[in-house]
Amino acid sequence: HTPEVQDLVKNQVVAQVFRSFAEVQAGSLSRNLVLPQSNLARALDTLGHTEPNKSLIKTSLASLVPVDGNIRDATSPLELTEFCVVVQAFDERRRQSLKQHFRALDTDNSGAIDKREFRRLLWENGYTVGPSQLDEIFREADEDLSGLIEMHEFEKAVNIVYTHHGFTKNEAEELFKVFDRYDADKSGSISADELPSALGWLGWPATIEESQELVDTFAGPHGELLRPQFLRVMRHRLEEELSEMRSLFARCDTNRQGTLSSTQVVDLLLNL
């Protein structure tokens, strides 16, 4: 396997996500874990490959070479190394896509893009990022402090965003502190029973039923949210809230000017 795949095999986050979606292989005396293909898309989503391309999944699976004389078919589960081969295929596809995005944004062919252009890319990929968040991401990625992002810095910046599901490093660390606070049994995961308290602490109260729905959507089959999945839930709730705010703004902006009068602002606040 390639060095990139070998690095992924050693990556603790990748291994943890694999275990979250894996099950004991049927007939395995050593209780070897394998990942059912039915869980593959959700595992990729957890690692930041939101709504993974089905065609690429199929191509990646077809490229897998059977090991130790085993026979693979269209439904064979994946071992950790095989899962990492698929993850690497998605990482490489993202890398190529980033290069295309960068060229499209770099309209003056300067070899660099500014914050406004970078923010537009994030918006197009479903991440709402404010000015202060953008500044922080730029500080992390802008190695030469030029105020612009070059191609290698651009890739670093986007990987920060994808890895943290649209949150900055500091935001992710703060969310992880909340995660740890409500991980009552210190298992490294949060259940549907523990999630409402964490959401309430963050200002997003939720019932047990709503929390269970979130766990069912984003967690693995064991019904526990890992840290990356917790970030995924937080991003989902944030974008959901922002979408409602945009809809409310549009309803109050009756003259369609993109701005609100004082009267319309009062109307918006009354509808919150």
Side-chain angles (χ1 to χ4, degrees):
H1 294 292
T2 66
E4 291 82 4
V5 170
Q6 293 173 10
D7 287 342
L8 287 171
V9 171
K10 299 173 186 175
N11 187 296
Q12 292 184 0
V13 173
V14 173
Q16 188 182 35
V17 170
F18 173 82
R19 290 193 297 271
S20 174
F21 288 93
E23 58 186 33
V24 177
Q25 186 174 21
S28 171
L29 297 178
S30 59
R31 297 185 62 79
N32 185 42
L33 289 177
V34 291
L35 179 73
Q37 289 190 28
S38 57
N39 293 342
L40 179 56
R42 290 175 69 182
L44 288 167
D45 182 278
T46 299
L47 290 172
H49 295 287
T50 309
E51 298 180 0
N53 182 280
K54 293 180 180 180
S55 177
L56 182 55
I57 289 179
K58 186 176 180 180
T59 302
S60 303
L61 291 174
S63 73
L64 296 177
V65 178
V67 294
D68 300 329
N70 294 328
I71 298 175
R72 289 200 59 82
D73 60 31
T75 61
S76 295
L78 284 70
E79 296 187 356
L80 174 59
T81 302
E82 295 171 323
F83 173 61
C84 289
V85 169
V86 178
V87 173
Q88 170 57 22
F90 274 83
D91 287 347
E92 181 58 31
R93 171 68 68 87
R94 174 185 289 166
R95 192 171 294 113
Q96 296 304 319
S97 176
L98 289 178
K99 289 180 180 178
Q100 294 176 3
H101 276 298
F102 186 86
R103 295 190 196 102
L105 292 172
D106 183 20
T107 53
D108 58 1
N109 296 316
S110 64
I113 62 172
D114 60 23
K115 291 180 183 179
R116 178 183 57 82
E117 293 166 326
F118 183 60
R119 190 179 187 185
R120 174 186 160 196
L121 170 68
L122 298 181
W123 177 276
E124 291 175 349
N125 283 272
Y127 296 122
T128 304
V129 177
S132 61
Q133 296 167 308
L134 199 61
D135 287 343
E136 184 181 333
I137 295 170
F138 252 63
R139 283 195 298 271
E140 290 183 59
D142 185 16
E143 297 170 356
D144 57 7
L145 304 178
S146 65
L148 299 172
I149 286 188
E150 299 168 6
M151 181 59 218
H152 71 283
E153 295 172 329
F154 175 71
E155 185 173 336
K156 178 181 178 181
V158 174
N159 282 333
I160 289 170
V161 172
Y162 280 122
T163 301
H164 295 140
H165 292 284
F167 295 108
T168 66
K169 182 179 178 181
N170 286 338
E171 286 175 329
E173 288 176 353
E174 289 302 314
L175 288 171
F176 287 150
K177 287 179 183 177
V178 176
F179 179 95
D180 292 338
R181 175 192 292 267
Y182 292 101
D183 176 17
D185 56 3
K186 306 305 175 187
S187 63
S189 60
I190 283 182
S191 67
D193 291 336
E194 296 167 322
L195 185 57
S197 298
L199 291 173
W201 175 265
L202 292 166
W204 288 319
T207 64
I208 291 289
E209 291 73 20
E210 290 171 332
S211 296
Q212 185 63 59
E213 185 177 345
L214 288 168
V215 168
D216 291 342
T217 301
F218 297 108
H222 308 299
E224 300 276 329
L225 287 173
L226 303 177
R227 284 180 160 214
Q229 294 160 341
F230 182 66
L231 289 185
R232 184 75 175 86
V233 168
M234 293 302 103
R235 171 53 54 183
H236 172 76
R237 291 301 294 258
L238 177 60
E239 294 297 339
E240 197 175 56
E241 186 175 86
L242 289 172
S243 178
E244 291 174 1
M245 287 295 295
R246 292 186 192 108
S247 298
L248 184 55
F249 184 98
R251 288 201 302 271
C252 294
D253 181 21
T254 53
N255 53 10
R256 299 294 182 264
Q257 290 186 345
T259 58
L260 297 181
S261 66
S262 57
T263 303
Q264 290 170 325
V265 169
V266 171
D267 185 36
L268 184 150
L269 293 174
L270 290 173
N271 281 279
L272 287 178

